[in-house]
Amino acid sequence: MSDAGTLYVVATPIGNLEDMTPRAVRVLSEADLIAAEDTRHSGRLLRHFGIGARAEAIHEHNERSQVPRLVEILKGGKSIAFITDAGTPLVSDPGFHLVRAARQAGIRVVPVPGACAAIAALSAAGLPSDRFVFEGFPPAKSAARRAVFEKLREESRTLIFYESPHRILESLKDMSEVFGPGREAVLARELTKQFETLRAGGLGELLDWVGRDADQQLGEFVILIHGLPRAEREVIDEAAGRVLEILLEELPVSQAAALAAKITGLKKNMLYEYALTLKKDA
Ligand code: SAM
């Protein structure tokens, strides 16, 4: 498919227009077509950089239906530059179906990297960054959100979430309850913009702080949570193990596990399983 065009996946700024790369400006200027999540929104960016190319809307509601047509345009030898409202396309943004279909059709897909809120936040948060898990937006409803957090409670890697201003308080509250108020976290708000704020603290402290100051509930947020440190897990296991051993000398497994759960705050099921292994080893 050597005569086919190229699909460029172009990152745009997340607030500060100085973060637009010269390469992004050139690729957008040279593309035959710009596919944008919101043509009105991107129109401002394109005008700012004097880019006159034709822009078409590709958003989460029409992406699937537009993909075959865009792939045909690419096959016909035209190049398309794809942008979303802010940051890196496909990262909690549309573009996945287009990129997948283009690649499956043998079309060259070229990333033009730039800003991404998750990575910008991680780079300045001071939390372990050698391993991390990007979770995107937590579910909107509390029960589903808490279920997601429960599954991540023992995760040792740094967790990264996106959150919107109308759910920031509810989400922080659920996080504080599930991960514990003392779990170290960083709230990164309005990155690269006038009111950029990076605040570190326990989840409980961050919840109080945001709750007390209405200004801190405005804008765009990345929440980063320290993973459960390995050392802490070992200390918990060791301490819980000692408690269980003592209780098992006097009590049956299920009672020992229930009491140990009350004493240590750990899950009864987990302690029960552990008690069974202690019994087996004895
Ligand atoms: N594709 C984008 C990226 O590369 O980061 C993310 C798009 S997603 C629809 C928008 C969310 O990203 C916001 O609700 C917020 O959680 C996060 N975000 C985007 N810009 C941000 C900024 N300047 N500061 C903090 N968070 C931001």
Side-chain angles (χ1 to χ4, degrees):
M1 190 140 323
S2 56
D3 291 341
T6 300
L7 172 63
Y8 295 95
V9 184
V10 184
T12 57
I14 54 169
N16 189 328
L17 291 180
E18 285 175 6
D19 292 333
M20 185 78 170
T21 69
R23 184 172 173 224
V25 173
R26 181 180 57 74
V27 167
L28 288 168
S29 307
E30 290 173 2
D32 294 307
L33 175 70
I34 295 175
E37 183 182 6
D38 177 339
T39 46
R40 267 206 356 228
H41 180 98
S42 295
R44 287 192 285 277
L45 177 88
L46 300 177
R47 275 194 299 282
H48 180 89
F49 289 101
I51 299 164
R54 193 159 62 92
E56 280 197 23
I58 301 295
H59 41 71
E60 60 175 322
H61 305 295
N62 75 354
E63 184 187 345
R64 277 173 190 252
S65 64
Q66 293 295 314
V67 161
R69 191 174 62 80
L70 293 174
V71 170
E72 283 312 308
I73 293 174
L74 289 160
K75 279 185 180 165
K78 301 250 188 274
S79 65
I80 299 180
F82 176 60
I83 54 175
T84 50
D85 288 355
T88 301
L90 281 83
V91 178
S92 290
D93 258 347
F96 165 69
H97 300 291
L98 175 60
V99 169
R100 191 166 175 84
R103 291 186 59 81
Q104 278 170 352
I107 284 159
R108 191 164 159 244
V109 181
V110 173
V112 181
C116 173
I119 300 301
L122 183 69
S123 73
L127 293 176
S129 53
D130 49 346
R131 303 267 190 283
F132 59 89
V133 184
F134 175 64
E135 280 288 322
F137 288 95
K141 299 226 166 77
S142 183
R145 189 162 57 220
R146 291 176 75 103
V148 166
F149 296 163
E150 289 285 353
K151 283 212 183 103
L152 294 166
R153 220 163 60 99
E154 311 260 314
E155 173 59 61
S156 60
R157 293 167 291 183
T158 294
L159 297 165
I160 306 179
F161 295 93
Y162 282 167
E163 195 48 284
S164 70
H166 41 277
R167 275 198 283 276
I168 186 67
L169 266 181
E170 291 173 49
S171 249
L172 280 174
K173 182 167 171 287
D174 286 343
M175 283 172 174
S176 177
E177 282 171 20
V178 175
F179 294 102
R183 179 78 75 100
E184 193 184 337
V186 172
L187 191 61
R189 185 175 81 92
E190 293 288 87
L191 292 169
T192 77
K193 303 187 209 177
Q194 188 183 359
F195 296 108
E196 178 179 88
T197 315
L198 279 123
R199 174 90 174 195
L203 279 167
E205 271 172 66
L206 293 178
L207 172 64
D208 280 353
W209 181 66
V210 175
R212 269 188 275 112
D213 185 349
D215 284 347
Q216 296 303 329
Q217 297 164 30
L218 302 173
E220 301 192 279
F221 299 88
V222 183
I223 308 166
L224 305 98
I225 301 180
H226 201 303
L228 192 63
R230 203 171 292 280
E232 195 174 305
R233 284 192 293 179
E234 275 157 17
V235 169
I236 289 171
D237 289 349
E238 227 176 82
R242 270 205 308 279
V243 169
L244 263 180
E245 269 172 37
I246 294 165
L247 292 173
L248 281 170
E249 284 170 13
E250 308 291 332
L251 297 169
V253 171
S254 68
Q255 259 177 290
L259 252 184
K262 278 193 186 151
I263 295 167
T264 63
L266 295 178
K267 286 218 168 104
K268 189 180 147 196
N269 282 355
M270 192 177 98
L271 290 162
Y272 183 81
E273 298 290 326
Y274 192 47
L276 290 179
T277 63
L278 288 179
K279 275 269 177 197
K280 232 189 280 160
D281 294 345

